Amino acid sequence: MDAIRTEALTKHYSVGFWRPRPYRALEGLTLSVGQGEVFGFLGPNGAGKTTTLKLLMQLIYPTSGHAEILGRPVGDVAVKRRIGFLPENPYFYDHLTAEELLEYVGALFGYSARECRARATARLDEVGIGAERRLQLRKFSKGMLQRVGIAQALINEPEVVFFDEPMSGLDPLGRREIRHLILRLRDRGATVFFSSHVLSDAEALCSQVAIVVGGRLVSSGHLTDLLALRVRGWELVMAGLSREAIERIPGVLRVTQVGVDRYVLELPLTPPPEQLLATCVAHGASLVSLNPIRDTLEDLFVRQVAAAGTDRGLSTPDARSPESTR
Amino acid sequence: MRTIARVAVSVFRESVRNKVLYSLVCFAVLLISTAYLIGQLTAGQDIKIIKDLGLAAISIFGLLIAVFLGITLVWKEIEQRSIYSMLAKPLSRSEFVLGKYAGLALTLVVNVGLMGLAYYAMLAYMATTFPPEARAAWPAPAVDPALMKALGLILVELLLVTAVALFFSTFSSPFLSAVLTLAIWVIGTFDADLRNFESVVASPSAAALARGLYYLIPNFGAFDVKLQVVHGLPVSWDYVVTTAAYGAVYVVLLLTGAVAIFSRRDFK
Ligand SMILES: Nc1ncnc2c1ncn2[C@@H]1O[C@H](COP(=O)(O)OP(=O)(O)O)[C@@H](O)[C@H]1O
Ligand SMILES: [Mg+2]
């Protein structure tokens, strides 16, 4: 059984006050996330990530399609016992202290008062909220609220964890802590589904990713397998060669001088660079480094955003530009 | 059921920390106490006016509290998005709404209780300031248990107003909810006049509308027995119980509607 499964999940909002028009926030998302995976749900701002998470939490209802968590339809109270959710830019009852909030959340799971307190303490320790836990949440900074949000999501030691932009609002140290926390969750066997527009987060954490742009899934799979992220050439750094010698090498796409006799050569994917390397070395050059050139996720975003265009309206031609509808 | 109780307790705790509510209750208690001064000014041989003023203060401040809490509670939760994490917890949307209402009801019971205590304390003190001859002429004693009937029905009325406010707040802004709730309260309070409306206006459609409103909107006037108890006229327990049941039916209907709307809506 998959931890999360969606089938043609679609959400249209109606926008515009005088003349409401449908707007595609999410279109036909089909995904499955296996248990125990750390799954990165990636996409630029406005791609439909939060919409997807809200659909999975049944905060909104789909226009069409279907979603399941742990084999049960979303919204099932029994399933909610086994999951945790961190909303985007979380906000909580601001008259409560962090400790009280966590105890209340624990009480909703039916834990005894004693257990609520123990769990609250443990989770707040885990996310690095110290003595501030006795302060009312209205006095918390964005980053601290984010940590409290993570703590409340984990109060029940969930089997499936949903994080919407878990790193947002955190300083670099905080980001590293959250990365470690996610890896600890994985080691415990939990499934972690998190959204992010920051690609390095995903590259450091995920086994699987899905990329959404403009409300549509554009690719999914192993990060390294993603077609769009395949190696597209080689970057060769050589020392001890003369400019003339380099100019005579066939098939070099670009040459950049980076030192007195140091050059960066950009080579195509084929032929493989071994042959060329051997020739150069035979001519007395020394190898500094050889690296594959990949598209970064950034490149992919940029390309996909351009390709997906802005067409998210449904019927009327003037609904084509979302800017005009927001 | 336990989940509803947990939500209710948290609502009560929130209201205890709510400054607006605090000040309303304090102000009401203050006002009840000043009824004493007013009593001194008005020749002071009758306690009726003081009793009446006190009950009026309790019902007006109660109304403010009921409307204020009823319209802001759920709306704030949606607006500030605290509802996102809450609804991901193991509780259904109906448990959430019913818990909110139960918490509001608890808050009202406690607040009306406090105001009632202040009221009785004020009356007890007042009684000692009157000469025995004056007291003998009163139709009812100062500390009259019958006042409890009036207080009880005020409470039922407030619980109903809260349900109206909560109902509107599940789908509209606080301002609109407040306007609608108060409009319903005003119409419901002058309900009897609606019935006679058709004898006043010529237009049959206006008369039909008035009759429709009369049957749809609860008759808030029924909860007002202030004059009777203040003047020592009998109010039967039958009447109190029937009227409370009448209010309860409306509360159930309104909560059913609130749950239905709340369960279907998107939280965007
Ligand atoms: N309530 C709403 N009404 C209309 N459009 C919305 C609403 N919520 C989100 N959208 C639109 O849907 C798209 C996806 O939004 P979202 O899922 O929040 O993106 P993100 O990937 O940044 O989390 C955005 O273009 C956003 O403007
Ligand atoms: Mg988002």
Side-chain angles (χ1 to χ4, degrees):
Chain A
M1 181 185 50
D2 285 328
I4 305 165
R5 223 165 53 77
T6 70
E7 232 176 76
L9 199 59
T10 298
K11 180 67 181 175
H12 296 165
Y13 286 116
S14 110
V15 290
F17 186 75
W18 297 112
R19 226 153 34 92
R21 295 175 300 271
Y23 175 78
R24 297 180 171 123
L26 191 68
E27 189 70 44
L29 178 76
T30 301
L31 261 191
S32 62
V33 178
Q35 293 195 30
E37 269 175 29
V38 176
F39 193 97
F41 193 54
L42 310 174
N45 291 323
K49 305 182 295 293
T50 299
T51 303
T52 306
L53 279 153
K54 280 184 173 177
L55 285 164
L56 286 170
M57 293 301 115
Q58 209 181 53
L59 292 167
I60 53 179
Y61 290 93
T63 307
S64 63
H66 179 74
E68 278 179 5
I69 300 173
L70 294 167
R72 306 275 303 143
V74 294
D76 187 298
V77 174
V79 162
K80 290 204 257 180
R81 300 201 150 271
R82 300 160 64 191
I83 64 175
F85 174 51
L86 166 76
E88 184 175 29
N89 304 322
Y91 195 88
F92 307 100
Y93 301 132
D94 57 11
H95 61 279
L96 295 183
T97 67
E99 216 164 32
E100 287 168 339
L101 175 81
L102 263 82
E103 285 172 16
Y104 174 49
V105 166
L108 289 177
F109 278 94
Y111 303 137
S112 70
R114 205 224 249 114
E115 186 165 9
C116 286
R117 207 159 313 125
R119 282 177 184 256
T121 309
R123 291 301 107 75
L124 288 168
D125 287 345
E126 234 173 292
V127 298
I129 298 284
E132 312 92 326
R133 66 183 64 179
R134 300 253 154 79
L135 285 182
Q136 287 193 340
L137 290 168
R138 71 176 89 235
K139 294 173 186 140
F140 272 45
S141 73
K142 188 170 183 302
M144 284 158 75
L145 275 179
Q146 187 80 8
R147 289 162 188 260
V148 173
I150 290 168
Q152 63 83 35
L154 301 179
I155 192 97
N156 55 329
E157 288 162 343
E159 290 164 54
V160 189
V161 185
F162 298 83
F163 286 155
D164 197 353
E165 307 269 2
M167 312 288 185
S168 86
L170 293 179
D171 53 32
L173 192 67
R175 301 172 90 89
R176 207 179 64 194
E177 284 170 18
I178 299 309
R179 268 207 293 278
H180 287 162
L181 186 134
I182 291 180
L183 293 175
R184 278 205 304 281
L185 288 170
R186 184 197 63 188
D187 294 342
R188 209 191 67 201
T191 310
V192 181
F193 182 90
F194 77 93
S195 80
S196 180
H197 65 277
V198 181
L199 306 165
S200 52
D201 295 345
E203 285 171 326
L205 283 172
C206 300
S207 42
Q208 301 273 325
V209 297
I211 299 174
V212 280
V213 177
R216 289 173 194 277
L217 183 70
V218 294
S219 24
S220 70
H222 260 284
L223 198 52
T224 45
D225 289 350
L226 289 189
L227 200 61
L229 297 178
R230 290 244 175 102
V231 178
R232 64 168 157 79
W234 300 97
E235 183 194 71
L236 181 63
V237 184
M238 304 286 285
L241 270 187
S242 66
R243 180 100 208 171
E244 298 76 58
I246 285 178
E247 235 110 79
R248 263 181 275 121
I249 303 175
V252 176
L253 298 176
R254 186 153 28 125
V255 181
T256 321
Q257 187 165 13
V258 289
V260 189
D261 61 346
R262 219 172 244 231
Y263 294 91
V264 180
L265 315 184
E266 237 183 89
L267 306 173
L269 190 60
T270 47
E274 288 90 346
Q275 190 66 48
L276 183 110
L277 198 57
T279 328
C280 294
V281 172
H283 282 80
S286 58
L287 172 67
V288 178
S289 70
L290 173 66
N291 285 304
I293 304 173
R294 295 173 191 277
D295 273 358
T296 62
L297 282 171
E298 267 91 359
D299 295 331
L300 183 67
F301 275 12
V302 171
R303 235 177 322 115
Q304 298 284 3
V305 171
T310 52
D311 178 17
R312 293 175 98 176
L314 285 178
S315 45
T316 47
D318 60 331
R320 289 192 153 256
S321 152
E323 276 70 34
S324 72
T325 58
R326 257 179 264 156
Chain B
M1 212 53 208
R2 301 239 309 269
T3 313
I4 294 178
R6 288 190 189 103
V7 176
V9 169
S10 98
V11 170
F12 182 70
R13 179 157 62 172
E14 176 176 0
S15 70
V16 170
R17 293 190 187 175
N18 192 320
K19 292 200 186 72
V20 180
L21 185 65
Y22 249 137
S23 13
L24 277 177
V25 176
C26 291
F27 197 64
V29 169
L30 207 72
L31 199 78
I32 294 167
S33 331
T34 54
Y36 161 78
L37 288 178
I38 298 168
Q40 297 282 313
L41 294 177
T42 54
Q45 24 69 5
D46 203 337
I47 201 162
K48 285 204 288 278
I49 185 162
I50 301 161
K51 281 184 174 177
D52 197 25
L53 275 174
L55 283 177
I58 292 174
S59 83
I60 293 291
F61 279 94
L63 186 71
L64 288 179
I65 293 170
V67 173
F68 171 74
L69 287 182
I71 61 172
T72 53
L73 199 70
V74 169
W75 172 82
K76 202 172 78 189
E77 189 112 357
I78 299 170
E79 192 63 18
Q80 299 184 334
R81 294 169 314 172
S82 49
I83 197 163
Y84 289 3
S85 54
M86 283 306 139
L87 288 185
K89 303 293 177 257
L91 84 170
S92 64
R93 289 196 187 183
S94 52
E95 285 171 326
F96 183 86
V97 172
L98 295 177
K100 290 280 172 192
Y101 181 75
L104 288 175
L106 183 63
T107 307
L108 275 177
V109 168
V110 170
N111 285 324
V112 171
L114 286 176
M115 291 193 282
L117 277 179
Y119 178 60
Y120 267 116
M122 186 268 297
L123 288 178
Y125 173 72
M126 286 289 303
T128 64
T129 65
F130 285 96
E133 314 86 69
R135 270 188 270 170
W138 291 343
V143 183
D144 182 1
L147 293 172
M148 295 285 276
K149 292 179 181 164
L151 283 171
L153 285 180
I154 287 175
L155 180 62
V156 175
E157 177 179 12
L158 296 178
L159 291 175
L160 176 52
V161 170
T162 308
V164 173
L166 190 72
F167 172 77
F168 284 125
S169 80
T170 55
F171 60 89
S172 64
S173 73
F175 179 72
L176 190 60
S177 305
V179 169
L180 291 171
T181 306
L182 287 173
I184 289 208
W185 181 78
V186 168
I187 297 173
T189 302
F190 302 102
D191 217 21
D193 302 336
L194 276 180
R195 198 181 207 170
N196 305 326
F197 202 58
E198 41 200 305
S199 56
V200 187
V201 293
S203 154
S205 52
L209 179 70
R211 199 158 349 102
L213 284 176
Y214 174 78
Y215 286 114
L216 189 65
I217 293 180
N219 175 11
F220 284 105
F223 300 104
D224 186 0
V225 292
K226 288 201 268 306
L227 276 183
Q228 289 93 308
V229 294
V230 164
H231 287 272
L233 303 174
V235 175
S236 75
W237 277 110
D238 257 10
Y239 181 80
V240 175
V241 171
T242 318
T243 312
Y246 168 80
V249 169
Y250 267 103
V251 168
V252 168
L253 290 177
L254 284 161
L255 289 182
T256 310
V259 164
I261 294 171
F262 193 78
S263 299
R264 279 164 185 75
R265 64 165 290 178
D266 277 355
F267 297 107
K268 309 193 208 183

